[in-house]
Amino acid sequence: MAGAALAARRDAGPISASAGIGLRFPHHAAFLEARPAIDWVEVHSENYLSGPALAVLETVRADHAVSLHSVALSLGAAGGLDRRHLSRLAELARRIEPALISEHLAWGAVDHAHLADLLPLPLTEESLAIVAGNVAAAQEAMGRRILIENPATYLQFSHSTIPEGEFLAALVARTGCGLICDVNNIVVSAANHGWDPRACLAALPAAAIGEYHLAGHSAADGAAMGLLLDTHDRAVAPAVWALFETALDLIGPRPVLIEWDAAIPPLPVLLGEAAEAEARLAARVAEGRDVRAA
Amino acid sequence: MSALLDLQRRFRAALLGGADAAPPPEVLGGLVDAAARLAIYRGNVIGNLTGALRLTYPAIERLVGAAFFAAACARFAVATPPDSADLYEYGAGFAAFLEDFEPARTLPYLADVARLEFAVTRALHAPLVPALDAAALAAVPAAAEDGLRFLPHPSLSLLDLAHPAPAIWEAVLTEEPDLRAARLGAIDLDAGGAQLAVLRGAKGPALLALSPAAFALAGALAGGTPLGEALDRVAAAEAASCLGLLLTQGLFAGCRAPGGPTHSEGTIP
C-alpha cells in the first residue's frame, strides 16, 4: 500500500517557475477540500515534524511538490548546529522528498536556548566561516544542496565588514548552497538601513537563486517609527511587486512563494496573490526566458 | 571563545533582560536608536514564545484572562527559554512556574490544569505510532513474561492531580458562554483529584481515569519495571484486570522480553 502511495506521488523533481503558497494550519481543511491547481506549497518544517500535521503534509505531497523551509536551525549559531534538530529535519526530508529545502541567514539559538526568532548576524569574516561551516554540515546531513534566504533585519552591527549581498555570494562560493531571494525582506531591510533595494538585488549571484519569496510588511510605530516590520500579515505591498519585476529583469523567472503568517485570510485570497505572481511570471516566461529553477 | 559566540550570549542577555536591558554596544542606531531596534527583536521573541504557550495552554489563558496570561508567559519565557527547536515541546515547566507565581496563589488548581494541558499537547503532537496490540503478547513465551518490559506510547502522560483539573479544563474550554458558565459553576473545587492517563484517542486527546492500582501499574511499566515485578506491586485480585485495561487502552507502543526482539506495531514519527 505504501508503495502504491509513493508511486502516485508527484515526482520530487524541480519546481517550475510557478507560484506556490505557504501552507499554514488554518488552511489545511480548505486546501485538502479544494485541491487548488498550484504545483507546490512551502511549509515551515518545524510545524510538521510529527503527528497529524505530518499526516496532512504527506497527503498534500501526493499531488504537489513541497518546499521545506525551516526557521529554527540557527545557521548563524557560533556554537554549532543543534544535531537533534538537524536529524529531525533530515528525517522529515527523507519522508517528504521535497523539491527544495531552505533556511535563513540568521541565528536563533545560543547555549541550548532557542529564542524562536530570526536574529541578525554581524557580517564579518568570522561569521562567514561559521555560517559556511553550519551550511556545509546541514547539506551533508540532508544529502543535498539547500537554499539560504536573505533576512529582514532591524539592526546592524558596527563591526560588520561585508555587505549582505557579498556575504551571501561568498557563502554560495564556499558551500555550493543556493539562495532564496526574499523580495519583501530586501524592501524591509533596505528601508531600515538606508540601502538601495535595486543594488541589493544586483549584488546577489543570479545563478544561485532558486526561489523568490513575496509577503506583506507593516510600518513600525512608537520608538521604532520609520522602520518596516516583516510581519507577513497582509497582501504583498506595491513596492514589493515593483521590486519583484526588477528581480525578474535582473535574475529571471524562478518559483515564487506567497507567504502570509499572521491575520491569515481565507485560502482564496492567498491563491489570488499567487495568481498575481503567476501572471507576472507567465509574462516573462512567454518572453522565452529560462523557466526552470536554477 | 569566538567573538560571535560572545556577542550572541550578550545579545541573548539583552533580549531576555527586560525592557531596560541595554543593547550590546556594537548595535548601530541611526534614524531609530539601537534600543528601539533591539526592542523589536525582544518583542518578537517574547511574542513568539507567548504564542507557543498560548497554543499549549488555552484553558489557563481563559482561567486567568489574556493580560494576566501574557504577563505570566513573558516572565516564564525570559526565565525559561525553550531548550528545543520544536516549540510543541516548550513549556514543560509552566505548571511548576505557576505554582510558585505569587499572583496565581489564589488559584491553587491552576498548576494541575497546566499539567493536563501539557499532556494534551503531547498527545496531539506525538508521533503517530500504533499502540501495542495485546495479541502480540501471545507470541511471548510464558517463561519470559515476568521479564517483559514495555515501551510507553509516545503520546502517553500519566498525571497524578490533586485538583479536579479535567472538569475545569473541559468546562472552561466550552465555546458557548452560557454553557461554559454553567459547567464552571457546577464544579466542586474540593472534589479532589484524579489519576489519569492522557494519550491520543481516535478524535483528539483521550483522558482515561485510572484506579489507584491501574495507575501504579501503568507508572511502573512506563518507567521500565519488568512485568513480574510491576504486577507484584498490585493486589493480586486486581493485577490481571489492570494489565488488560492498560493494554486495551493503548498505553504502550511495544514490549521486549529479555534478550528477545521488540514487539511493536511499527515506528511512524
Side-chain angles (χ1 to χ4, degrees):
Chain A
M1 198 171 77
L6 287 174
R9 264 188 173 180
R10 182 211 183 275
D11 68 61
I15 298 167
S16 65
S18 63
I21 62 167
L23 182 64
R24 307 292 181 252
F25 287 7
H27 290 149
H28 279 177
F31 193 93
L32 292 174
E33 171 82 13
R35 292 297 174 126
I38 53 173
D39 184 35
W40 64 290
V41 300
E42 185 164 288
V43 296
H44 289 156
S45 313
E46 282 78 4
N47 292 335
Y48 292 84
L49 291 173
S50 71
L54 174 58
V56 168
L57 187 59
E58 294 204 304
T59 304
V60 169
R61 178 65 185 82
D63 295 334
H64 301 272
V66 166
S67 168
L68 293 179
H69 187 51
S70 60
V71 297
L73 191 51
S74 192
L75 290 171
L81 297 179
D82 177 336
R83 305 302 303 199
R84 173 173 177 252
H85 191 49
L86 181 58
S87 67
R88 292 183 78 180
L89 292 175
E91 168 62 16
L92 178 67
R94 193 189 63 72
R95 292 179 66 92
I96 294 298
E97 302 179 301
L100 296 169
I101 298 176
S102 55
E103 244 293 352
H104 303 77
L105 177 62
W107 68 281
V110 60
D111 296 333
H112 309 291
H114 288 263
L115 300 170
D117 197 22
L118 299 167
L119 300 172
L121 281 166
L123 301 180
T124 62
E125 289 295 338
E126 184 203 17
S127 294
L128 180 57
I130 286 167
V131 176
N134 287 339
V135 168
Q139 292 187 138
E140 190 182 331
M142 304 286 183
R144 60 193 286 177
R145 188 179 82 142
I146 64 175
L147 307 183
I148 306 302
E149 175 179 330
N150 60 296
T153 54
Y154 308 118
L155 61 79
Q156 293 180 278
F157 296 94
S158 57
H159 60 303
S160 286
T161 54
I162 311 172
E164 186 179 281
E166 275 181 41
F167 190 99
L168 288 164
L171 191 61
V172 168
R174 287 201 194 182
T175 67
C177 72
L179 298 176
I180 290 176
C181 173
D182 189 312
V183 180
N184 179 62
N185 287 355
I186 291 177
V187 169
V188 168
S189 292
N192 292 345
H193 309 310
W195 300 343
D196 172 10
R198 194 177 194 284
C200 293
L201 267 184
L204 297 176
I209 293 171
E211 182 185 350
Y212 292 115
H213 276 185
L214 303 177
H217 58 255
S218 59
D221 54 20
M225 178 112 60
L227 301 188
L228 296 183
L229 303 176
D230 182 34
T231 42
H232 295 192
D233 62 347
R234 62 195 68 195
V236 176
V240 174
W241 284 121
L243 192 63
F244 178 50
E245 292 288 349
T246 307
L248 291 172
D249 289 337
L250 294 175
I251 295 162
R254 298 287 190 276
V256 53
L257 180 80
I258 304 291
E259 296 182 290
W260 204 318
D261 292 293
I264 294 178
L267 182 60
V269 175
L270 194 56
L271 292 169
E273 292 275 281
E276 170 72 24
E278 184 82 31
R280 291 170 187 255
L281 277 172
R284 303 307 179 104
V285 173
E287 291 169 14
R289 289 172 186 261
D290 177 21
V291 297
R292 281 304 227 191
Chain B
M1 177 168 61
S2 85
L4 183 60
L5 181 58
D6 175 59
L7 174 66
Q8 288 175 339
R9 286 177 172 162
R10 287 183 289 118
F11 203 92
R12 168 195 165 172
L15 286 175
L16 302 182
D20 297 331
E26 297 94 325
V27 175
L28 291 172
L31 177 71
V32 169
D33 67 29
R37 290 175 183 269
L38 182 83
I40 296 173
Y41 290 104
R42 183 182 292 131
N44 286 349
V45 168
I46 303 299
N48 290 340
L49 296 181
T50 298
L53 293 169
R54 184 175 286 124
L55 287 178
T56 297
Y57 296 105
I60 298 296
E61 185 173 28
R62 283 237 175 120
L63 285 167
V64 301
F68 187 107
F69 184 76
C73 289
R75 286 276 291 276
F76 177 75
V78 300
T80 319
D83 59 5
S84 168
D86 182 353
L87 292 179
Y88 291 125
E89 297 176 355
Y90 183 47
F94 196 52
F97 167 83
L98 290 172
E99 225 155 31
D100 293 335
F101 191 46
E102 192 58 41
R105 281 284 162 84
T106 54
L107 305 175
Y109 51 81
L110 214 53
D112 271 356
V113 177
R115 288 186 183 96
L116 176 59
E117 291 206 285
F118 192 77
V120 164
T121 295
R122 180 190 176 108
L124 291 175
H125 294 284
L128 295 170
V129 178
L132 176 68
D133 185 344
L137 290 181
V140 177
E145 272 181 15
D146 278 357
L148 214 51
R149 290 176 196 269
F150 287 82
L151 185 69
H153 193 274
S155 76
L156 174 68
S157 299
L158 294 169
L159 301 177
D160 189 357
L161 305 173
H163 300 274
I168 297 169
W169 172 74
E170 192 176 8
V172 80
L173 290 181
T174 302
E175 285 308 321
E176 207 278 301
D178 290 343
L179 186 56
R180 185 192 317 152
R183 283 181 173 172
L184 282 170
I187 291 171
D188 174 7
L189 289 176
D190 300 320
Q195 292 181 317
L196 290 182
V198 179
L199 69 172
R200 183 190 288 117
K203 295 177 182 169
L207 276 54
L208 184 65
L210 297 177
S211 68
F215 187 78
L217 183 62
L221 293 177
T225 304
L227 180 60
E229 191 184 328
L231 287 171
D232 284 345
R233 298 183 192 174
V234 180
E238 294 183 78
S241 67
C242 286
L243 179 61
L245 173 79
L246 303 184
L247 288 170
T248 54
Q249 295 293 334
L251 269 67
F252 304 106
C255 63
R256 187 170 55 83
T262 299
H263 297 275
S264 70
E265 307 301 314
T267 49
I268 301 169

